[in-house]
Amino acid sequence: MGKNKQQIIFLEGQKVILRPLRKETDLESCLRWINDPEVRQYLKNHLPFTVQQESDWFDQLSQRTGDIILAIETLEGAFIGTMGLHRIDWQDRVATTGALIGEKDYWGQGYGTDAKMVLLDYAFNTLNLRKICSSTFSYNKRSLQYLLHCGYQIEGRRRRQRFRGGKYWDEIILGLFKHEWAPIWKRYQETGKVR
Ligand SMILES: CC(C)(COP(=O)(O)OP(=O)(O)OC[C@H]1O[C@@H](n2cnc3c(N)ncnc32)[C@H](O)[C@@H]1OP(=O)(O)O)[C@@H](O)C(=O)NCCC(=O)NCCS
């Protein structure tokens, strides 16, 4: 499948691997993605990101106890984005997922779904988390679609919560329990499809 022996793998899916981030090789791409208007329109941050800010972000990654952020790499070795578990609460056993595929040519081809399914397997079956949350802006149809495919349920809607492109948009709040995800994971492992 084009994998090489040097590749560092933390989680392995059918189209991607997830691995720890590496400042030396990853900073430049992350900086490009987070500043790109086409990508940024879907993210919560809206201010310019400097090299220094990005560098500081990388430096404090390993000290963050409530976040696990991984690089998404195709099986062929292209670094295309990041995905993470945030605000992990070990008592309530809940966390929030976030994703950013910054290489736009890779959007809409199942890479995000694959990365999310293996991250959820790790969250539920290794970390023993109970519930995974997420949210997306109402105009981010691709994000909503892939979250629903992975089993997330819509739990609510923050009305006119975000101001983007001169308008207010709803924020859609989603949540997922292990028992809702498990049959989708079984199907995905057997057929390579979430539905
Ligand atoms: C959101 C994101 C992680 C999804 O990953 P992805 O690899 O692009 O998504 P997938 O290809 O796995 O799934 C996307 C689904 O949405 C569908 N889709 C794609 N474009 C769409 C559109 N404009 N409208 C509706 N559905 C769309 C795809 O067809 C696919 O559904 P399908 O399996 O029924 O065909 C990725 O697109 C991304 O990082 N985007 C930019 C940043 C972002 O939005 N982050 C999330 C913030 S909440």
Side-chain angles (χ1 to χ4, degrees):
M1 297 283 265
K3 278 186 291 173
N4 68 58
K5 287 197 190 119
Q6 310 304 323
Q7 202 172 20
I8 296 169
I9 298 174
F10 183 69
L11 299 172
E12 189 167 7
Q14 299 180 15
K15 292 170 79 80
V16 300
I17 61 104
L18 300 183
R19 61 155 174 83
L21 279 160
R22 205 165 37 213
K23 184 178 177 182
E24 305 74 60
T25 54
D26 301 340
L27 186 146
E28 216 175 292
S29 297
C30 289
L31 189 64
R32 177 163 51 83
W33 299 337
I34 204 143
N35 283 295
D36 181 339
E38 269 187 85
V39 177
R40 181 163 50 79
Q41 64 176 319
Y42 300 122
L43 307 179
K44 290 195 172 126
N45 67 294
H46 52 273
L47 295 172
F49 238 76
T50 64
V51 179
Q52 190 55 54
Q53 284 169 316
E54 192 66 20
S55 171
D56 292 346
W57 183 82
F58 269 91
D59 288 342
Q60 47 78 47
L61 261 183
S62 59
Q63 286 145 39
R64 295 164 76 145
T65 49
D67 300 277
I68 298 171
I69 304 170
L70 294 161
I72 308 174
E73 212 172 83
T74 67
L75 293 189
E76 293 72 31
F79 174 44
I80 60 168
T82 60
M83 187 171 278
L85 292 165
H86 306 273
R87 297 192 288 281
I88 303 172
D89 185 317
W90 300 109
Q91 184 185 346
D92 295 338
R93 293 171 42 226
V94 298
T96 300
T97 45
L100 189 176
I101 294 179
E103 296 299 341
K104 295 171 277 184
D105 292 349
Y106 288 85
W107 284 355
Q109 297 178 50
Y111 290 100
T113 298
D114 189 49
K116 182 74 84 186
M117 290 304 282
V118 290
L119 185 66
L120 290 170
D121 176 41
Y122 174 65
F124 287 129
N125 289 328
T126 298
L127 299 182
N128 199 18
L129 293 175
R130 185 178 63 84
K131 183 180 184 187
I132 302 297
C133 304
S134 191
S135 72
T136 190
F137 302 143
S138 52
Y139 57 84
N140 195 350
K141 304 287 184 229
R142 194 185 304 108
S143 174
L144 181 62
Q145 198 72 7
Y146 103 115
L147 291 169
L148 293 173
H149 287 341
C150 291
Y152 288 75
Q153 307 288 314
I154 295 176
E155 296 188 331
R157 188 178 265 271
R158 291 209 168 93
R159 294 169 302 153
R160 293 163 52 80
Q161 176 78 2
R162 295 277 161 190
F163 189 68
R164 288 291 184 282
K167 285 168 68 173
Y168 287 99
W169 302 87
D170 291 357
E171 181 175 3
I172 300 172
I173 312 297
L174 301 107
L176 173 66
F177 290 105
K178 181 176 176 177
H179 70 86
E180 293 166 332
W181 163 84
I184 303 173
W185 176 235
K186 186 167 182 285
R187 188 180 318 128
Y188 190 63
Q189 286 177 297
E190 285 167 5
T191 66
K193 292 182 177 14
V194 283
R195 70 208 160 97

